[in-house]
Short mmCIF file of all heavy atoms in Angstrom, two decimals:
data_model
loop_
_atom_site.label_atom_id
_atom_site.label_comp_id
_atom_site.label_asym_id
_atom_site.label_seq_id
_atom_site.Cartn_x
_atom_site.Cartn_y
_atom_site.Cartn_z
N PHE A 825 1.08 -3.20 15.82
CA PHE A 825 0.98 -2.58 14.52
C PHE A 825 1.01 -1.06 14.60
O PHE A 825 1.61 -0.47 13.60
CB PHE A 825 -0.46 -2.99 13.89
CG PHE A 825 -0.71 -2.45 12.53
CD1 PHE A 825 0.10 -2.87 11.53
CD2 PHE A 825 -1.70 -1.56 12.32
CE1 PHE A 825 -0.13 -2.45 10.21
CE2 PHE A 825 -1.96 -1.14 10.97
CZ PHE A 825 -1.16 -1.53 9.94
N SER A 826 0.66 -0.46 15.64
CA SER A 826 0.73 0.96 15.72
C SER A 826 2.10 1.56 15.75
O SER A 826 2.31 2.73 15.57
CB SER A 826 -0.06 1.43 16.96
OG SER A 826 0.59 0.87 18.12
N ARG A 827 3.14 0.61 15.92
CA ARG A 827 4.54 1.11 15.82
C ARG A 827 5.05 1.13 14.38
O ARG A 827 6.24 1.59 14.23
CB ARG A 827 5.36 0.20 16.71
CG ARG A 827 4.96 0.19 18.10
CD ARG A 827 5.82 -0.88 18.90
NE ARG A 827 7.20 -0.62 18.74
CZ ARG A 827 8.20 -1.44 19.05
NH1 ARG A 827 7.81 -2.58 19.66
NH2 ARG A 827 9.42 -1.23 18.92
N TYR A 828 4.34 0.59 13.49
CA TYR A 828 4.89 0.37 12.14
C TYR A 828 4.44 1.40 11.12
O TYR A 828 3.18 1.85 11.08
CB TYR A 828 4.46 -1.07 11.62
CG TYR A 828 5.09 -2.18 12.36
CD1 TYR A 828 4.57 -2.71 13.50
CD2 TYR A 828 6.35 -2.68 11.78
CE1 TYR A 828 5.31 -3.74 14.11
CE2 TYR A 828 6.96 -3.75 12.40
CZ TYR A 828 6.41 -4.25 13.58
OH TYR A 828 7.05 -5.29 14.24
N HIS A 829 5.37 1.84 10.36
CA HIS A 829 5.00 2.67 9.12
C HIS A 829 4.63 1.61 8.06
O HIS A 829 5.11 0.46 8.05
CB HIS A 829 6.22 3.40 8.68
CG HIS A 829 6.87 4.23 9.73
ND1 HIS A 829 6.18 5.19 10.51
CD2 HIS A 829 8.18 4.20 10.30
CE1 HIS A 829 7.09 5.72 11.35
NE2 HIS A 829 8.24 5.16 11.25
N VAL A 830 3.70 2.02 7.24
CA VAL A 830 3.15 1.09 6.27
C VAL A 830 3.20 1.69 4.88
O VAL A 830 2.96 2.93 4.71
CB VAL A 830 1.71 0.75 6.62
CG1 VAL A 830 1.17 -0.28 5.55
CG2 VAL A 830 1.66 -0.01 7.94
N SER A 847 1.89 5.46 4.86
CA SER A 847 1.32 6.03 6.07
C SER A 847 2.30 5.86 7.14
O SER A 847 2.68 4.73 7.39
CB SER A 847 -0.02 5.31 6.41
OG SER A 847 -0.50 5.80 7.66
N ARG A 848 2.69 6.96 7.79
CA ARG A 848 3.56 6.85 8.97
C ARG A 848 2.78 6.16 10.05
O ARG A 848 1.54 5.97 9.99
CB ARG A 848 4.01 8.13 9.45
CG ARG A 848 4.84 8.97 8.36
CD ARG A 848 6.17 8.44 8.21
NE ARG A 848 7.01 8.77 9.36
CZ ARG A 848 8.30 8.48 9.56
NH1 ARG A 848 8.88 7.61 8.70
NH2 ARG A 848 8.96 8.88 10.59
N TRP A 849 3.38 5.81 11.20
CA TRP A 849 2.81 4.95 12.16
C TRP A 849 1.53 5.52 12.81
O TRP A 849 0.59 4.74 13.02
CB TRP A 849 3.83 4.65 13.34
CG TRP A 849 4.20 5.86 14.08
CD1 TRP A 849 5.10 6.85 13.90
CD2 TRP A 849 3.51 6.32 15.30
NE1 TRP A 849 5.12 7.78 14.80
CE2 TRP A 849 4.09 7.56 15.67
CE3 TRP A 849 2.45 5.84 16.03
CZ2 TRP A 849 3.71 8.24 16.79
CZ3 TRP A 849 1.99 6.52 17.20
CH2 TRP A 849 2.73 7.74 17.59
N SER A 850 1.43 6.75 12.94
CA SER A 850 0.26 7.33 13.51
C SER A 850 -0.85 7.65 12.51
O SER A 850 -1.97 7.95 12.95
CB SER A 850 0.66 8.69 14.23
OG SER A 850 1.07 9.67 13.17
N GLY A 851 -0.49 7.60 11.26
CA GLY A 851 -1.50 7.86 10.19
C GLY A 851 -1.56 9.41 10.01
O GLY A 851 -2.26 9.76 9.03
N GLY A 852 -0.74 10.16 10.66
CA GLY A 852 -0.81 11.62 10.49
C GLY A 852 -0.01 12.14 9.37
O GLY A 852 -0.21 13.29 8.88
N SER A 853 0.79 11.25 8.80
CA SER A 853 1.66 11.67 7.60
C SER A 853 1.49 10.61 6.52
O SER A 853 1.63 9.33 6.74
CB SER A 853 3.07 11.86 8.00
OG SER A 853 3.87 12.13 6.83
N THR A 854 0.97 11.05 5.39
CA THR A 854 0.80 10.07 4.27
C THR A 854 1.47 10.69 2.98
O THR A 854 1.74 11.88 2.98
CB THR A 854 -0.70 9.85 3.88
OG1 THR A 854 -1.30 11.17 3.64
CG2 THR A 854 -1.43 9.20 5.15
N ARG A 868 -5.50 3.92 7.93
CA ARG A 868 -5.25 2.85 8.85
C ARG A 868 -6.07 2.95 10.10
O ARG A 868 -6.50 3.98 10.47
CB ARG A 868 -3.70 2.85 9.21
CG ARG A 868 -3.26 4.04 9.94
CD ARG A 868 -1.71 4.04 10.01
NE ARG A 868 -1.20 2.93 10.77
CZ ARG A 868 0.10 2.51 10.74
NH1 ARG A 868 0.95 3.18 10.01
NH2 ARG A 868 0.45 1.52 11.47
N ASN A 870 -5.38 1.46 13.54
CA ASN A 870 -4.48 0.66 14.41
C ASN A 870 -5.24 -0.23 15.46
O ASN A 870 -4.61 -1.23 15.82
CB ASN A 870 -3.59 1.68 15.15
CG ASN A 870 -2.50 2.31 14.24
OD1 ASN A 870 -2.25 1.71 13.19
ND2 ASN A 870 -2.02 3.46 14.53
#
Side-chain angles (χ1 to χ4, degrees):
F825 183 63
S826 60
R827 297 176 56 190
Y828 288 86
H829 309 304
V830 179
S847 170
R848 300 283 286 177
W849 67 272
S850 66
S853 176
T854 59
R868 63 190 296 164
N870 286 338

